[in-house]
Amino acid sequence: MEVEVKPFEARYWKDVVELHRAVGWPISRKMLKVWSEPSEYTRVLLAIASGRAVGKVTLDTAYPPYYEVVNLVVHPKYRSLGIGSMLLKACIEEAERKGFDVGIVMTEVSNYAAHKLYAKFSFYPAIVPEEGQLWAFRFSK
């Protein structure tokens, strides 16, 4: 299966709604509108396979030299195909192209699949607050 990573486009909104529902995440029309509009600091990327959005991630670059990878998600039917890796790699490459060299990602302490993915790209756990979240960092230089 061929997968392409590309910026969010409004024509994929139904797929993104389905993706969020499949993993139990809330979504609103307002968020879809925000993601469709150009932003200096935020970029939403989609993984497109067979003409549908099957994965999504947000790259935030508001606070140099830090960038944050937010809400990386792959539809359950498309997991274990390397799509999460493709989305994460695209975020890292774009952030580094812009001169950002400290990556941050947050995930659930119990989400071992995410830990494995982030470790593959040299994100290392650094902060585990009481709420069950884990923050991991990546240093490019």
Side-chain angles (χ1 to χ4, degrees):
M1 167 181 20
E2 189 173 318
V3 179
E4 178 184 10
V5 174
K6 58 194 301 183
F8 183 91
E9 295 178 35
R11 67 181 168 142
Y12 295 109
W13 74 269
K14 287 182 182 179
D15 298 335
V16 174
V17 168
E18 180 185 328
L19 175 62
H20 274 243
R21 285 185 180 149
V23 297
W25 289 1
I27 191 165
S28 67
R29 286 189 180 270
K30 181 179 178 182
M31 283 310 307
L32 292 165
K33 184 174 175 13
V34 167
W35 293 338
S36 298
E37 297 169 354
S39 169
E40 182 179 353
Y41 303 113
T42 301
R43 185 159 166 120
V44 178
L45 301 174
L46 300 176
I48 307 299
S50 303
R52 337 182 19 216
V54 298
K56 181 184 76 62
V57 68
T58 301
L59 172 65
D60 284 333
T61 56
Y63 301 102
Y66 306 99
Y67 65 91
E68 185 175 1
V69 177
V70 183
N71 293 335
L72 174 65
V73 62
V74 175
H75 193 286
K77 293 179 182 177
Y78 291 87
R79 291 187 179 157
S80 300
L81 299 174
I83 294 170
S85 291
M86 291 176 69
L87 288 166
L88 186 54
K89 181 179 178 193
C91 285
I92 293 167
E93 288 174 352
E94 182 165 337
E96 289 180 350
R97 235 185 346 266
K98 290 180 167 186
F100 292 78
D101 56 12
V102 181
I104 303 166
V105 66
M106 188 223 10
T107 188
E108 301 283 329
V109 170
S110 61
N111 189 343
Y112 302 113
H115 299 190
K116 185 176 175 182
L117 172 64
Y118 297 134
K120 176 179 167 183
F121 287 89
S122 300
F123 281 87
Y124 296 103
I127 302 171
V128 183
E130 292 180 27
E131 296 86 36
Q133 302 295 317
L134 177 134
W135 289 86
F137 292 82
R138 179 183 193 277
F139 301 91
S140 298
K141 292 183 182 179

PDB file of all heavy atoms in Angstrom, residues 87-109:
ATOM      1  N   LEU A  87       4.689   9.707   9.728  1.00  0.00           N
ATOM      2  CA  LEU A  87       4.198  10.988  10.242  1.00  0.00           C
ATOM      3  C   LEU A  87       5.213  11.632  11.181  1.00  0.00           C
ATOM      4  O   LEU A  87       5.496  12.829  11.091  1.00  0.00           O
ATOM      5  CB  LEU A  87       2.863  10.787  10.957  1.00  0.00           C
ATOM      6  CG  LEU A  87       1.669  10.496  10.053  1.00  0.00           C
ATOM      7  CD1 LEU A  87       0.491   9.974  10.872  1.00  0.00           C
ATOM      8  CD2 LEU A  87       1.269  11.743   9.268  1.00  0.00           C
ATOM      9  N   LEU A  88       5.795  10.834  12.076  1.00  0.00           N
ATOM     10  CA  LEU A  88       6.774  11.361  13.021  1.00  0.00           C
ATOM     11  C   LEU A  88       8.021  11.850  12.290  1.00  0.00           C
ATOM     12  O   LEU A  88       8.543  12.936  12.585  1.00  0.00           O
ATOM     13  CB  LEU A  88       7.126  10.292  14.056  1.00  0.00           C
ATOM     14  CG  LEU A  88       8.018  10.720  15.199  1.00  0.00           C
ATOM     15  CD1 LEU A  88       7.467  11.935  15.936  1.00  0.00           C
ATOM     16  CD2 LEU A  88       8.204   9.554  16.171  1.00  0.00           C
ATOM     17  N   LYS A  89       8.494  11.092  11.328  1.00  0.00           N
ATOM     18  CA  LYS A  89       9.665  11.485  10.545  1.00  0.00           C
ATOM     19  C   LYS A  89       9.403  12.801   9.813  1.00  0.00           C
ATOM     20  O   LYS A  89      10.269  13.684   9.775  1.00  0.00           O
ATOM     21  CB  LYS A  89      10.020  10.385   9.551  1.00  0.00           C
ATOM     22  CG  LYS A  89      11.235  10.697   8.723  1.00  0.00           C
ATOM     23  CD  LYS A  89      11.552   9.561   7.765  1.00  0.00           C
ATOM     24  CE  LYS A  89      12.757   9.930   6.914  1.00  0.00           C
ATOM     25  NZ  LYS A  89      12.930   9.041   5.790  1.00  0.00           N
ATOM     26  N   ALA A  90       8.213  12.961   9.241  1.00  0.00           N
ATOM     27  CA  ALA A  90       7.863  14.199   8.540  1.00  0.00           C
ATOM     28  C   ALA A  90       7.898  15.393   9.492  1.00  0.00           C
ATOM     29  O   ALA A  90       8.378  16.476   9.131  1.00  0.00           O
ATOM     30  CB  ALA A  90       6.499  14.070   7.878  1.00  0.00           C
ATOM     31  N   CYS A  91       7.410  15.207  10.718  1.00  0.00           N
ATOM     32  CA  CYS A  91       7.443  16.285  11.713  1.00  0.00           C
ATOM     33  C   CYS A  91       8.875  16.668  12.052  1.00  0.00           C
ATOM     34  O   CYS A  91       9.228  17.854  12.086  1.00  0.00           O
ATOM     35  CB  CYS A  91       6.716  15.860  12.985  1.00  0.00           C
ATOM     36  SG  CYS A  91       4.932  15.854  12.866  1.00  0.00           S
ATOM     37  N   ILE A  92       9.702  15.675  12.328  1.00  0.00           N
ATOM     38  CA  ILE A  92      11.095  15.936  12.693  1.00  0.00           C
ATOM     39  C   ILE A  92      11.818  16.660  11.561  1.00  0.00           C
ATOM     40  O   ILE A  92      12.522  17.660  11.786  1.00  0.00           O
ATOM     41  CB  ILE A  92      11.811  14.620  13.055  1.00  0.00           C
ATOM     42  CG1 ILE A  92      11.227  14.044  14.348  1.00  0.00           C
ATOM     43  CG2 ILE A  92      13.320  14.838  13.187  1.00  0.00           C
ATOM     44  CD1 ILE A  92      11.640  12.606  14.627  1.00  0.00           C
ATOM     45  N   GLU A  93      11.653  16.173  10.346  1.00  0.00           N
ATOM     46  CA  GLU A  93      12.326  16.792   9.201  1.00  0.00           C
ATOM     47  C   GLU A  93      11.886  18.238   9.002  1.00  0.00           C
ATOM     48  O   GLU A  93      12.714  19.117   8.764  1.00  0.00           O
ATOM     49  CB  GLU A  93      12.078  15.974   7.929  1.00  0.00           C
ATOM     50  CG  GLU A  93      12.834  14.665   7.926  1.00  0.00           C
ATOM     51  CD  GLU A  93      12.493  13.768   6.748  1.00  0.00           C
ATOM     52  OE1 GLU A  93      11.547  14.080   5.975  1.00  0.00           O
ATOM     53  OE2 GLU A  93      13.182  12.740   6.595  1.00  0.00           O
ATOM     54  N   GLU A  94      10.592  18.497   9.108  1.00  0.00           N
ATOM     55  CA  GLU A  94      10.106  19.866   8.935  1.00  0.00           C
ATOM     56  C   GLU A  94      10.609  20.769  10.054  1.00  0.00           C
ATOM     57  O   GLU A  94      11.041  21.895   9.805  1.00  0.00           O
ATOM     58  CB  GLU A  94       8.581  19.902   8.871  1.00  0.00           C
ATOM     59  CG  GLU A  94       8.075  21.301   8.637  1.00  0.00           C
ATOM     60  CD  GLU A  94       6.639  21.364   8.204  1.00  0.00           C
ATOM     61  OE1 GLU A  94       6.118  20.387   7.661  1.00  0.00           O
ATOM     62  OE2 GLU A  94       6.034  22.437   8.413  1.00  0.00           O
ATOM     63  N   ALA A  95      10.570  20.288  11.276  1.00  0.00           N
ATOM     64  CA  ALA A  95      11.048  21.093  12.401  1.00  0.00           C
ATOM     65  C   ALA A  95      12.535  21.421  12.237  1.00  0.00           C
ATOM     66  O   ALA A  95      12.942  22.574  12.427  1.00  0.00           O
ATOM     67  CB  ALA A  95      10.806  20.349  13.714  1.00  0.00           C
ATOM     68  N   GLU A  96      13.331  20.435  11.887  1.00  0.00           N
ATOM     69  CA  GLU A  96      14.763  20.669  11.727  1.00  0.00           C
ATOM     70  C   GLU A  96      15.049  21.601  10.547  1.00  0.00           C
ATOM     71  O   GLU A  96      15.963  22.422  10.617  1.00  0.00           O
ATOM     72  CB  GLU A  96      15.500  19.348  11.589  1.00  0.00           C
ATOM     73  CG  GLU A  96      15.529  18.583  12.902  1.00  0.00           C
ATOM     74  CD  GLU A  96      16.243  17.246  12.824  1.00  0.00           C
ATOM     75  OE1 GLU A  96      16.571  16.773  11.715  1.00  0.00           O
ATOM     76  OE2 GLU A  96      16.482  16.665  13.898  1.00  0.00           O
ATOM     77  N   ARG A  97      14.279  21.498   9.486  1.00  0.00           N
ATOM     78  CA  ARG A  97      14.430  22.414   8.347  1.00  0.00           C
ATOM     79  C   ARG A  97      14.207  23.863   8.776  1.00  0.00           C
ATOM     80  O   ARG A  97      14.830  24.782   8.257  1.00  0.00           O
ATOM     81  CB  ARG A  97      13.409  22.051   7.261  1.00  0.00           C
ATOM     82  CG  ARG A  97      13.987  21.778   5.927  1.00  0.00           C
ATOM     83  CD  ARG A  97      12.995  21.520   4.803  1.00  0.00           C
ATOM     84  NE  ARG A  97      11.613  21.254   5.100  1.00  0.00           N
ATOM     85  CZ  ARG A  97      11.083  20.034   5.231  1.00  0.00           C
ATOM     86  NH1 ARG A  97      11.820  18.967   5.122  1.00  0.00           N
ATOM     87  NH2 ARG A  97       9.796  19.906   5.495  1.00  0.00           N
ATOM     88  N   LYS A  98      13.307  24.046   9.751  1.00  0.00           N
ATOM     89  CA  LYS A  98      13.011  25.385  10.258  1.00  0.00           C
ATOM     90  C   LYS A  98      13.996  25.826  11.341  1.00  0.00           C
ATOM     91  O   LYS A  98      13.870  26.919  11.879  1.00  0.00           O
ATOM     92  CB  LYS A  98      11.593  25.414  10.841  1.00  0.00           C
ATOM     93  CG  LYS A  98      10.499  25.310   9.819  1.00  0.00           C
ATOM     94  CD  LYS A  98       9.148  25.348  10.529  1.00  0.00           C
ATOM     95  CE  LYS A  98       8.007  25.559   9.586  1.00  0.00           C
ATOM     96  NZ  LYS A  98       6.735  25.726  10.292  1.00  0.00           N
ATOM     97  N   GLY A  99      14.939  24.964  11.706  1.00  0.00           N
ATOM     98  CA  GLY A  99      15.941  25.324  12.704  1.00  0.00           C
ATOM     99  C   GLY A  99      15.596  24.942  14.134  1.00  0.00           C
ATOM    100  O   GLY A  99      16.269  25.341  15.071  1.00  0.00           O
ATOM    101  N   PHE A 100      14.553  24.141  14.328  1.00  0.00           N
ATOM    102  CA  PHE A 100      14.176  23.684  15.664  1.00  0.00           C
ATOM    103  C   PHE A 100      14.940  22.408  15.967  1.00  0.00           C
ATOM    104  O   PHE A 100      14.992  21.509  15.135  1.00  0.00           O
ATOM    105  CB  PHE A 100      12.669  23.414  15.732  1.00  0.00           C
ATOM    106  CG  PHE A 100      11.845  24.664  15.615  1.00  0.00           C
ATOM    107  CD1 PHE A 100      11.628  25.266  14.384  1.00  0.00           C
ATOM    108  CD2 PHE A 100      11.304  25.250  16.744  1.00  0.00           C
ATOM    109  CE1 PHE A 100      10.875  26.419  14.277  1.00  0.00           C
ATOM    110  CE2 PHE A 100      10.548  26.407  16.651  1.00  0.00           C
ATOM    111  CZ  PHE A 100      10.336  26.997  15.408  1.00  0.00           C
ATOM    112  N   ASP A 101      15.535  22.322  17.158  1.00  0.00           N
ATOM    113  CA  ASP A 101      16.361  21.143  17.439  1.00  0.00           C
ATOM    114  C   ASP A 101      16.056  20.440  18.752  1.00  0.00           C
ATOM    115  O   ASP A 101      16.736  19.500  19.133  1.00  0.00           O
ATOM    116  CB  ASP A 101      17.845  21.474  17.346  1.00  0.00           C
ATOM    117  CG  ASP A 101      18.275  22.613  18.247  1.00  0.00           C
ATOM    118  OD1 ASP A 101      17.493  23.017  19.129  1.00  0.00           O
ATOM    119  OD2 ASP A 101      19.396  23.098  18.068  1.00  0.00           O
ATOM    120  N   VAL A 102      15.000  20.846  19.445  1.00  0.00           N
ATOM    121  CA  VAL A 102      14.584  20.142  20.662  1.00  0.00           C
ATOM    122  C   VAL A 102      13.122  19.720  20.477  1.00  0.00           C
ATOM    123  O   VAL A 102      12.225  20.562  20.427  1.00  0.00           O
ATOM    124  CB  VAL A 102      14.722  21.015  21.929  1.00  0.00           C
ATOM    125  CG1 VAL A 102      14.297  20.228  23.168  1.00  0.00           C
ATOM    126  CG2 VAL A 102      16.145  21.544  22.083  1.00  0.00           C
ATOM    127  N   GLY A 103      12.913  18.420  20.331  1.00  0.00           N
ATOM    128  CA  GLY A 103      11.574  17.901  20.132  1.00  0.00           C
ATOM    129  C   GLY A 103      10.952  17.433  21.434  1.00  0.00           C
ATOM    130  O   GLY A 103      11.642  16.916  22.314  1.00  0.00           O
ATOM    131  N   ILE A 104       9.657  17.625  21.539  1.00  0.00           N
ATOM    132  CA  ILE A 104       8.908  17.227  22.729  1.00  0.00           C
ATOM    133  C   ILE A 104       7.671  16.456  22.277  1.00  0.00           C
ATOM    134  O   ILE A 104       7.026  16.836  21.297  1.00  0.00           O
ATOM    135  CB  ILE A 104       8.444  18.453  23.540  1.00  0.00           C
ATOM    136  CG1 ILE A 104       9.636  19.334  23.927  1.00  0.00           C
ATOM    137  CG2 ILE A 104       7.652  18.035  24.773  1.00  0.00           C
ATOM    138  CD1 ILE A 104       9.229  20.698  24.432  1.00  0.00           C
ATOM    139  N   VAL A 105       7.356  15.405  22.999  1.00  0.00           N
ATOM    140  CA  VAL A 105       6.126  14.662  22.744  1.00  0.00           C
ATOM    141  C   VAL A 105       5.572  14.187  24.083  1.00  0.00           C
ATOM    142  O   VAL A 105       6.336  13.906  25.014  1.00  0.00           O
ATOM    143  CB  VAL A 105       6.366  13.475  21.776  1.00  0.00           C
ATOM    144  CG1 VAL A 105       7.246  12.425  22.391  1.00  0.00           C
ATOM    145  CG2 VAL A 105       5.057  12.882  21.313  1.00  0.00           C
ATOM    146  N   MET A 106       4.256  14.148  24.190  1.00  0.00           N
ATOM    147  CA  MET A 106       3.614  13.666  25.399  1.00  0.00           C
ATOM    148  C   MET A 106       2.749  12.477  25.036  1.00  0.00           C
ATOM    149  O   MET A 106       2.094  12.481  23.989  1.00  0.00           O
ATOM    150  CB  MET A 106       2.736  14.745  26.029  1.00  0.00           C
ATOM    151  CG  MET A 106       2.217  14.330  27.373  1.00  0.00           C
ATOM    152  SD  MET A 106       0.501  14.661  27.787  1.00  0.00           S
ATOM    153  CE  MET A 106      -0.349  15.176  26.394  1.00  0.00           C
ATOM    154  N   THR A 107       2.749  11.466  25.884  1.00  0.00           N
ATOM    155  CA  THR A 107       1.917  10.293  25.661  1.00  0.00           C
ATOM    156  C   THR A 107       1.502   9.725  27.012  1.00  0.00           C
ATOM    157  O   THR A 107       1.989  10.147  28.057  1.00  0.00           O
ATOM    158  CB  THR A 107       2.658   9.239  24.807  1.00  0.00           C
ATOM    159  OG1 THR A 107       1.741   8.206  24.472  1.00  0.00           O
ATOM    160  CG2 THR A 107       3.852   8.662  25.527  1.00  0.00           C
ATOM    161  N   GLU A 108       0.608   8.773  26.970  1.00  0.00           N
ATOM    162  CA  GLU A 108       0.188   8.090  28.189  1.00  0.00           C
ATOM    163  C   GLU A 108       1.334   7.207  28.696  1.00  0.00           C
ATOM    164  O   GLU A 108       2.027   6.575  27.892  1.00  0.00           O
ATOM    165  CB  GLU A 108      -1.026   7.194  27.913  1.00  0.00           C
ATOM    166  CG  GLU A 108      -2.235   7.923  27.384  1.00  0.00           C
ATOM    167  CD  GLU A 108      -2.978   8.673  28.461  1.00  0.00           C
ATOM    168  OE1 GLU A 108      -2.961   8.225  29.622  1.00  0.00           O
ATOM    169  OE2 GLU A 108      -3.573   9.702  28.132  1.00  0.00           O
ATOM    170  N   VAL A 109       1.498   7.130  29.984  1.00  0.00           N
ATOM    171  CA  VAL A 109       2.526   6.269  30.573  1.00  0.00           C
ATOM    172  C   VAL A 109       2.311   4.822  30.128  1.00  0.00           C
ATOM    173  O   VAL A 109       3.264   4.093  29.873  1.00  0.00           O
ATOM    174  CB  VAL A 109       2.518   6.372  32.118  1.00  0.00           C
ATOM    175  CG1 VAL A 109       3.393   5.310  32.752  1.00  0.00           C
ATOM    176  CG2 VAL A 109       2.973   7.755  32.550  1.00  0.00           C
TER     177      VAL A 109
END
